[in-house]
Amino acid sequence: MKRVKKQHLPSKICLTCGFSFTWRKKWEKNWEEVKFCSEKCRKSKNSKSL
């Protein structure tokens, strides 16, 4: 696989904190389903309201 510079990786906005996060290798198979930047945000998704 050809290396890609970090600036060219896809990114998303976290639904909980609003932080912009970029694609990671561990999310390769389910990138479309990733909605949170971290486990902490995923676990606290119901305690915060936007």
Side-chain angles (χ1 to χ4, degrees):
M1 183 173 145
K2 185 178 176 184
R3 291 197 168 225
V4 178
K5 292 185 179 182
K6 190 171 184 173
Q7 63 197 20
H8 294 111
L9 291 173
S11 64
K12 291 185 178 184
I13 305 294
C14 177
L15 296 179
T16 303
C17 67
F19 181 75
S20 175
F21 62 98
T22 57
W23 181 90
R24 294 182 189 168
K25 178 72 174 172
K26 68 180 183 178
W27 293 328
E28 183 174 22
K29 294 180 181 176
N30 64 342
W31 175 244
E32 297 300 320
E33 298 157 12
V34 175
K35 295 180 175 125
F36 305 102
C37 64
S38 65
E39 277 296 311
K40 183 179 177 183
C41 281
R42 187 184 65 78
K43 290 178 180 178
S44 67
K45 65 184 173 189
N46 295 328
S47 64
K48 294 182 180 180
S49 60
L50 295 175

